[in-house]
Amino acid sequence: MNKTVPPDDLDFDEEGPLYVARKKVYPQKVSGTFRRIKWGLMAFCLGVYYLLPFVRWHRGLGAPDQAVLIDFPNRRFYFFFIELWPQEVYYFTGLLILAALTLFLMNALGGRIWCGYLCPQTVWTDLFYAVERWTEGDRRERIKADAAPMTAARLGRRALKHFIWLMIAWWTGGAWVLYFSDAPTLVKDLATFQAPAVAYIWIGILTATTYVLAGHMREQVCVYMCPWPRIQAALTDEWALNVTYKYDRGEPRCSVKKAVDLRAHGEKVGDCIDCNQCVAVCPTGIDIRDGAQLGCIQCGLCIDACDSVMKKVGRPDRLIGYDNDINVQRRIAGKKEIFKPVRARTIVYAGVIAVVCSVMLYALLTRSLLDLNVLHDRNPVAVRLSDGSIRNGYTLRFLNKRGFDRVVAVDIDGPPGAKIHVIGADSAIPDRPMIVLGRDSTTEMRVLVTVPFNEKADKTVPIKFRVTDVGLGEATSATDHFVVP
């Protein structure tokens, strides 16, 4: 068998492997403006996630009083004063559209704002890093400890770290299931081992995923698993602000002492002193000075680290900052910086968001809390009675979304002489049966419509069923067809 030999001028060994083994990242503690923003957002996001199930909202007698609740047994979603039914799934569709458009707008304005500050992976990883620093020390201590033999003291600190991680992960999973049942009751049932098995199963699944993703995989989730960096790269444009190393000001790099000597001789020297603090604080371990990269979540911590170094060496801050390559090139050419937060892309995103919000708000404010669905009998479609009249059968499903019982009247608009009979309804008023609808429920009734025989009548005639709340005057209708055999 002949073997194919690569040309001599191709050295595959120099290309390197397609996959490089992971190098452990040891982010260093940093303080500054963006670190404070991240602490504040972390506290807000975690506070909302963990405490929101315990917030109460009174909805009336017999209704759940949990402010945010996904009630699967009763097929309801409660969000403070909003109650959504399965038939209103289009509201969730609208929320998904808004979420996508908001991400697009964030990206057009400030790059991966979501990734750096609000993404659950970022929030929980930040929290796990804080626990790691508290138990095992900062960057240098952890690197030194990992290079040294294991000791009892180090083993104890590591065990404490993993215990706290597991407790955080456990409460993360526990908080999630509280959104699907009454939180105080479920907490009591979980503590006394009387909760449903599915609750323990989901707590176990979410505990494991939180512990693994935030404690062990960390930046690998952002680099390898998350699709948003790839999508963001396709959506960004030249005007979007991203965390940028301003190489026009930072290059060429040299130490502080050497920079003093070079400046004394009138040579050009950059502000970057090659201290690598921007690399040391990066949670994904990249070097921002290498330009835009997939691994950069744009959290701004390198900005804080660089600013602190610039302050110490007496140079202006924001050598690393939110900027774009257009302004870098303009500064090199001696031109003034230009920022364009308002441009065609952002106007379109903001406009579509406004339209979707307006449509959803209008639909929510004007939606009817009384609904009606009509299903025509299929076999037989129509029946001819002994007196020659024609009868069609229907199933009417009434939907009462209010938290109290109410009485409704049923009327029809259709063929001349049509008479309606609702089986099981109050027939005290001729041709206008009354039905009692239970609170927050659906009611099905069998309805018969009879029409005198008419040789000239069309084979199919539209018929409208109207339902009116006799107390509130609220009304709704549904249209079907009356069939003549």
Side-chain angles (χ1 to χ4, degrees), residues 101 104-110 237 239-240 340-354:
L101 291 171
F104 297 164
L105 181 59
M106 284 183 179
N107 172 64
L109 291 174
D237 64 1
W239 292 105
K340 289 187 177 181
V342 179
R343 56 191 190 276
R345 184 184 297 254
T346 58
I347 292 174
V348 170
Y349 290 153
V352 176
I353 289 173

Side-chain angles (χ1 to χ4, degrees), residues 432-464:
R432 203 185 193 211
M434 301 289 179
I435 302 172
V436 178
L437 303 181
R439 57 178 295 276
D440 195 30
S441 64
T442 59
T443 304
E444 284 191 359
M445 302 294 287
R446 178 87 172 132
V447 176
L448 301 176
V449 177
T450 306
V451 176
F453 177 70
N454 183 356
E455 293 183 354
K456 298 181 179 180
D458 295 332
K459 294 297 183 181
T460 303
V461 182
I463 184 171
K464 177 185 286 187

Side-chain angles (χ1 to χ4, degrees), residues 93-327:
T93 304
L95 288 175
L96 291 175
I97 294 173
L98 284 178
L101 291 171
T102 302
L103 278 177
F104 297 164
L105 181 59
M106 284 183 179
N107 172 64
L109 291 174
R112 294 169 64 178
I113 298 176
W114 168 261
C115 298
Y117 301 95
L118 298 171
C119 175
Q121 174 67 16
T122 297
V123 171
W124 265 273
T125 300
D126 250 3
L127 180 60
F128 276 44
Y129 272 138
V131 172
E132 187 172 61
R133 294 189 190 98
W134 180 70
T135 54
E136 295 188 315
D138 205 355
R139 172 183 167 85
R140 290 185 179 181
E141 288 82 357
R142 297 200 305 276
I143 294 176
K144 184 178 179 181
D146 284 351
M150 180 65 69
T151 63
R154 181 187 167 200
L155 184 62
R157 290 192 296 270
R158 179 162 291 187
L160 175 61
K161 176 187 74 174
H162 286 280
F163 173 76
I164 297 175
W165 279 3
L166 283 170
M167 289 299 98
I168 295 173
W170 170 75
W171 186 239
T172 300
W176 177 254
V177 301
L178 298 183
Y179 285 93
F180 297 85
S181 183
D182 182 67
T185 303
L186 184 56
V187 168
K188 180 181 177 181
D189 291 343
L190 289 170
T192 56
F193 300 100
Q194 297 177 355
V198 66
Y200 294 104
I201 292 172
W202 275 108
I203 290 175
I205 292 173
L206 292 169
T207 298
T209 53
T210 304
Y211 173 73
V212 171
L213 296 181
H216 295 278
M217 296 188 68
R218 298 178 174 177
E219 77 282 352
Q220 295 180 89
V221 175
C222 304
V223 176
Y224 298 110
M225 295 176 61
C226 182
W228 178 236
R230 285 87 180 163
I231 299 172
Q232 181 265 348
L235 290 173
T236 193
D237 64 1
E238 67 274 16
W239 292 105
L241 295 178
N242 296 288
V243 175
T244 304
Y245 167 64
K246 302 174 183 178
Y247 56 85
D248 59 304
R249 178 187 143 193
E251 300 295 329
R253 312 172 196 170
C254 62
S255 65
V256 176
K257 184 177 181 180
K258 186 176 180 181
V260 173
D261 294 337
L262 291 175
R263 288 192 180 100
H265 290 82
E267 296 187 30
K268 176 177 171 52
V269 179
D271 286 345
C272 180
I273 63 173
D274 214 11
C275 62
N276 283 325
Q277 286 300 297
C278 55
V279 181
V281 302
C282 180
T284 59
I286 68 162
D287 189 340
I288 191 63
R289 296 170 298 178
D290 293 337
Q293 300 163 66
L294 191 68
C296 178
I297 62 173
Q298 298 181 23
C299 58
L301 297 182
C302 55
I303 301 177
D304 288 336
C306 188
D307 283 353
S308 65
V309 173
M310 291 296 102
K311 183 178 180 181
K312 292 176 182 178
V313 299
R315 304 301 297 169
D317 60 5
R318 291 299 188 269
L319 175 59
I320 301 175
Y322 276 93
D323 204 347
N324 55 51
D325 282 336
I326 289 180
N327 281 330

